[in-house]
């Protein structure tokens, strides 16, 4: 299958496990990745996800050029069947933290762009080489990248098809942290654990709003924000959190008793 799924507490880890092929994606791996995301989405015990690649050389170099790409080029396969793997249309509102080392190219780059927080190795290499081969990065990138960073930087990455460094992507605002390679995965898990300790309804509502409201007209977006906010304010997590906050405040205002 070459996609590993492991759960530790409230954090699920999904790993590309085909290091001998630089974690290149077979058709079956695309199916398995989508299934892993849906498993995490549907498991109420999972509150955050880490996405990583096995081995030292690559996070993922995208679709296997000997299988997946020929299937598309010969029109034997509909690219929309990869939607779940690219987190399209599956309502995945649990946060996904990406841990990148080595090569992150093509579909691998696209997988990273589908995640929420990106921690990358200082020696990682990034590229969207699709135009060099006559096709396009259509795993969400044509929509996502111009919404995530500045137009000029997005077009530079997509049109020029150049190799880029971690420092380049940090400057462009694509990634969150650049660290030595051996610190990347532990840091991604640290972030995931920290998020998993927060109110799950609040966290998922924030991500849902970020993904669904940005293209709405302003007044319509405000209306939908209010609906999402009301759902979060009235959930059990919020009620318990507010009760704890009030109790802590009451304890702080109590005057210490004095013995006579």
């Amino acid at each position: 299958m070459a996609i590993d799924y492991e759960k530790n507490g409230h954090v699920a880890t999904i790993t590309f496990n085909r290091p001998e092929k630089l974690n290149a994606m077979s058709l079956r791996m695309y199916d398995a990745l989508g299934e892993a995301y849906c498993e995490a989405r549907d498991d109420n015990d999972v509150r955050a996800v880490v996405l990583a690649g096995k081995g030292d050389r690559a996070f993922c170099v995208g679709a296997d050029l000997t299988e997946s790409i020929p299937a598309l080029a010969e029109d034997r396969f509909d690219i929309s069947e990869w939607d779940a793997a690219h987190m399209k249309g599956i309502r995945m509102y649990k946060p996904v933290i990406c841990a990148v080392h080595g090569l992150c190219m093509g579909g691998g780059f696209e997988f990273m762009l589908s995640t929420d927080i990106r921690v990358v190795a200082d020696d990682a290499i990034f590229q969207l080489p699709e135009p060099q081969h006559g096709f396009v990065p259509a795993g969400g990138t044509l929509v996502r990248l111009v919404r995530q960073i500045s137009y000029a930087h997005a077009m530079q990455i997509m049109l020029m098809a150049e190799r880029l460094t971690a420092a380049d992507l940090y400057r462009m605002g694509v990634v969150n942290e650049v660290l030595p390679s051996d610190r990347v995965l532990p840091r991604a898990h640290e972030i995931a654990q920290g998020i998993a300790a927060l109110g799950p309804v609040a966290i998922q509502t924030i991500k849902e709003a970020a993904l669904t409201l940005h293209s709405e007209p302003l007044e319509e977006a405000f209306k939908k924000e209010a609906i999402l906010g009301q759902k979060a304010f009235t959930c059990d997590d919020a009620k318990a959190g507010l009760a704890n906050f009030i109790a802590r405040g009451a304890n702080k205002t109590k005057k210490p008793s004095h013995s006579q």
Side-chain angles (χ1 to χ4, degrees):
M1 186 179 294
I3 296 291
D4 294 342
Y5 184 93
E6 180 182 0
K7 189 170 75 171
N8 182 15
H10 292 304
V11 175
T13 302
I14 299 172
T15 306
F16 304 114
N17 190 358
R18 200 186 181 197
E20 73 283 2
K21 296 290 186 179
L22 301 177
N23 295 321
M25 298 288 287
S26 66
L27 292 173
R28 180 67 189 104
M29 287 174 70
Y30 277 100
D31 292 339
L33 179 58
E35 291 162 5
Y37 281 139
C38 290
E39 181 175 349
R41 178 199 63 192
D42 296 338
D43 186 341
N44 290 333
D45 205 38
V46 172
R47 298 184 180 181
V49 176
V50 171
L51 180 67
K54 191 79 169 179
D56 298 326
R57 295 190 296 160
F59 167 70
C60 176
V61 295
D64 189 330
L65 294 178
T66 65
E67 179 190 6
S68 301
I69 295 301
L72 287 173
E74 295 166 15
D75 204 20
R76 293 186 282 111
F77 182 80
D78 185 343
I79 195 172
S80 65
E81 293 185 35
W82 292 351
D83 280 0
H86 290 116
M87 279 192 273
K88 295 182 186 180
I90 62 171
R91 298 179 182 272
M92 178 56 165
Y93 298 139
K94 295 178 180 181
V96 182
I97 295 85
C98 195
V100 176
H101 63 275
L103 300 175
C104 179
M105 297 182 170
F109 198 135
E110 297 199 275
F111 293 138
M112 181 185 70
L113 292 178
S114 73
T115 66
D116 305 297
I117 296 176
R118 300 110 188 220
V119 183
V120 306
D122 53 11
D123 58 355
I125 299 296
F126 304 84
Q127 187 181 21
L128 291 174
E130 286 84 350
Q132 294 178 350
H133 307 294
F135 47 91
V136 299
T141 295
L142 299 177
V143 174
R144 288 184 172 123
L145 196 54
V146 292
R147 299 183 184 207
Q148 293 182 6
I149 62 173
S150 75
Y151 179 84
H153 283 148
M155 298 308 283
Q156 176 184 346
I157 293 170
M158 291 190 290
L159 295 178
M160 297 179 68
E162 296 176 326
R163 289 198 172 197
L164 299 164
T165 66
D168 291 330
L169 291 201
Y170 184 79
R171 174 178 54 82
M172 294 176 179
V174 179
V175 303
N176 298 85
E177 298 185 24
V178 179
L179 299 172
S181 185
D182 62 348
R183 292 178 55 196
V184 168
L185 188 57
R187 176 56 179 156
H189 278 286
E190 180 185 4
I191 293 171
Q193 294 286 357
I195 292 174
L198 304 176
V201 174
I203 291 298
Q204 291 175 50
T205 301
I206 289 169
K207 180 171 177 178
E208 181 179 357
L211 291 180
T212 62
L213 300 186
H214 60 83
S215 60
E216 295 280 354
L218 191 61
E219 292 305 319
E220 186 64 24
F222 284 146
K223 291 177 183 178
K224 292 182 178 179
E225 178 193 46
I227 294 171
L228 291 172
Q230 188 70 21
K231 179 181 73 172
F233 276 117
T234 57
C235 74
D236 291 341
D237 290 344
K239 293 174 183 177
L242 181 59
N244 290 335
F245 178 79
I246 292 172
R248 288 198 302 270
N251 289 334
K252 288 181 180 179
T253 58
K254 285 181 179 179
K255 293 182 179 180
S257 59
H258 298 283
S259 57
Q260 299 295 324

